[in-house]
Amino acid sequence: MRRLWKMSVWMETWLDFWKRLRARLTGRSNEQEVREVRRVLSLLPEKGNSPAPDPLLLTGGERKLYDQVRHATREHNRNNVTRTAAYWEVYQRSPELHWALLAHMVSRNGGYSMTDLRGDLIARVMEAGQAEAFFQFLERANWLIFGDAYPQLLLYEASVKGGKPLFHLLPYFGVSRFMTVIWERFWERKDSELLTLGLIINEQNYIEHRVVQNPAYKPVIESFEFQAQTYLNLTQVALPYRSNTDSVELAGCVVDTFLSLTERIDTGRRLYAILFGKEDVRQGVISFAKSRPHTGSRADYWSHLYTADPPAGSVKRKRYYPRVNGAVLRPGAKPIYSPRLHDVWPDVTSPEPPGGEDWCCAPDAAEQLYAAKPPAQHKITGLYCKTLMLVEKAVAAESWLK
């Protein structure tokens, strides 16, 4: 058993190295910016784990701004729907903040994952306690990322409004010193790509020990359901966008494993390359976001396959028959129930504070600041439909066995 464990660790280390190398070989890097960020980080004190400064030390306008940002963050961090809307509002006000649009679309996917737990498929094969644990896992990651990133976005907008950078206030919100350097570079160079990559790296490192490596969520991560998504390539991040025919297509990519920090960063890098490297996708995503407010239901993007209207009676008590054939319903089949978030999950009113320490303790963090090129195969409508049909067959088999 110990030998198998050592082999597993070795394989994970090798795969992590290979993914880093692959991303570098297929991507591009602004070496000048990387060197400069690394240089600035190297000038900071070695230990970056000192506690955040006390906001009570702030006075006058800075204290007022701090309170306003904190209040706005709490107000919009109530649930996945309010977070998703807040990201979209920031992007509409400040389109140079590319990450806000990316976060809006990824947050939509987070909402779909939450409502799937109470929908027509997963609810048939997952016990209520398991679904609750999965939801808390997803909610915690969503809540943490928003609580860290949204104050950064608001401080930038306040800086623009006041005509001077206010990034010295970031530590009061518990933001990593890595992002202080990145925001200062953005203020000087207006490099939206560098800022987006910095935020991707920061947010994934931010949740690494607070969620992914947190023992409290170990039962979720080690569960069969969680592992099966990885082995069967069931985890896809979809970017719904309006095509030239005005139908809603899906772009995006498959997440090989959520457990790898390198893989999560690389996924963000690839999604950004698709969203802002393919003009038809970007314009189609913006058109979709303008016309379809996020509710958490997959009916938001494909109302011909999904419905937010609940079925009569408990879905668990009924045998399931596959309904989807490609991208359409089988003749006579009813749409798949995909609920709205507020219909199935309450707000988490008293989450634990973020805790943790500044993840950036060395200048090596700058080495991840390289971009991906848009993949040739970025349209995933066909793959999504095949995956949905596979899930349907598995759920049907489980429902008949029961």
Side-chain angles (χ1 to χ4, degrees), residues 14 21 41 45 53 62 74 83 166 175 206 233 244 258 280 287 295 313 318 326 335 350 366 373 390-391 398:
W14 167 249
L21 180 62
L41 287 173
E62 289 188 345
R74 284 194 297 269
R83 293 176 204 121
L166 298 169
V175 176
Y206 187 74
N233 285 334
N244 292 332
F258 182 83
D280 61 325
S287 175
T295 70
K318 300 177 182 178
S350 301
K373 296 176 182 177
L390 175 63
V391 172
E398 176 76 8

Side-chain angles (χ1 to χ4, degrees), residues 8 104-105 113 125 150 202 263 267 294 329 338 355 358 401:
S8 175
H104 171 74
M105 298 308 295
S113 295
V125 297
Y150 194 63
N202 178 68
E263 175 66 17
T267 298
H294 176 63
L329 289 172
S338 178
D358 189 343
L401 286 173

Side-chain angles (χ1 to χ4, degrees), residues 89-124:
E89 290 164 4
V90 168
Y91 180 72
Q92 288 183 296
R93 294 193 303 262
S94 305
E96 68 273 24
L97 298 179
H98 293 180
W99 185 85
L101 180 59
L102 177 63
H104 171 74
M105 298 308 295
V106 172
S107 187
R108 281 182 181 252
N109 280 262
Y112 305 147
S113 295
M114 291 176 181
T115 57
D116 284 347
L117 297 169
R118 298 292 198 206
D120 225 345
L121 299 174
I122 305 302
R124 296 174 185 269

Side-chain angles (χ1 to χ4, degrees), residues 181-283:
V181 175
I182 295 296
W183 278 108
E184 288 171 349
R185 293 298 297 166
F186 178 68
W187 186 260
E188 295 175 11
R189 305 297 296 274
K190 301 296 185 275
D191 187 339
S192 295
E193 181 178 80
L194 181 73
L195 175 64
T196 304
L197 294 171
L199 282 163
I200 291 170
I201 294 164
N202 178 68
E203 301 314 330
Q204 293 308 320
N205 274 281
Y206 187 74
I207 66 169
E208 176 68 10
H209 291 284
R210 292 171 172 86
V211 178
V212 181
Q213 300 296 334
N214 189 332
Y217 301 106
K218 190 175 180 180
V220 172
I221 291 172
E222 292 183 347
S223 68
F224 170 78
E225 291 81 3
F226 191 96
Q227 299 294 334
Q229 293 182 58
T230 296
Y231 294 133
L232 298 177
N233 285 334
L234 300 181
T235 305
Q236 298 158 4
V237 182
L239 307 177
Y241 70 100
R242 288 192 175 278
S243 66
N244 292 332
T245 61
D246 205 38
S247 63
V248 177
E249 302 291 336
L250 303 178
C253 60
V254 175
V255 183
D256 289 342
T257 172
F258 182 83
L259 301 184
S260 167
L261 173 61
T262 299
E263 175 66 17
R264 295 198 309 276
I265 292 173
D266 194 43
T267 298
R269 193 183 282 122
R270 285 182 289 155
L271 288 170
Y272 176 59
I274 295 169
L275 185 55
F276 281 86
K278 297 291 184 180
E279 186 63 16
D280 61 325
V281 174
R282 185 178 71 86
Q283 292 295 342

Side-chain angles (χ1 to χ4, degrees), residues 4 14 67 77 85 90 105 142 152 159 161 171-172 181 183 194 212 258 271 287 333 336 358 377-378 393 397:
L4 288 174
W14 167 249
D67 290 338
N77 208 3
V90 168
M105 298 308 295
N142 264 237
Q152 298 180 52
S159 299
K161 184 177 180 180
Y172 291 92
V181 175
W183 278 108
L194 181 73
V212 181
F258 182 83
L271 288 170
S287 175
I336 299 169
D358 189 343
Q377 302 297 326
H378 63 277
K393 289 177 181 177

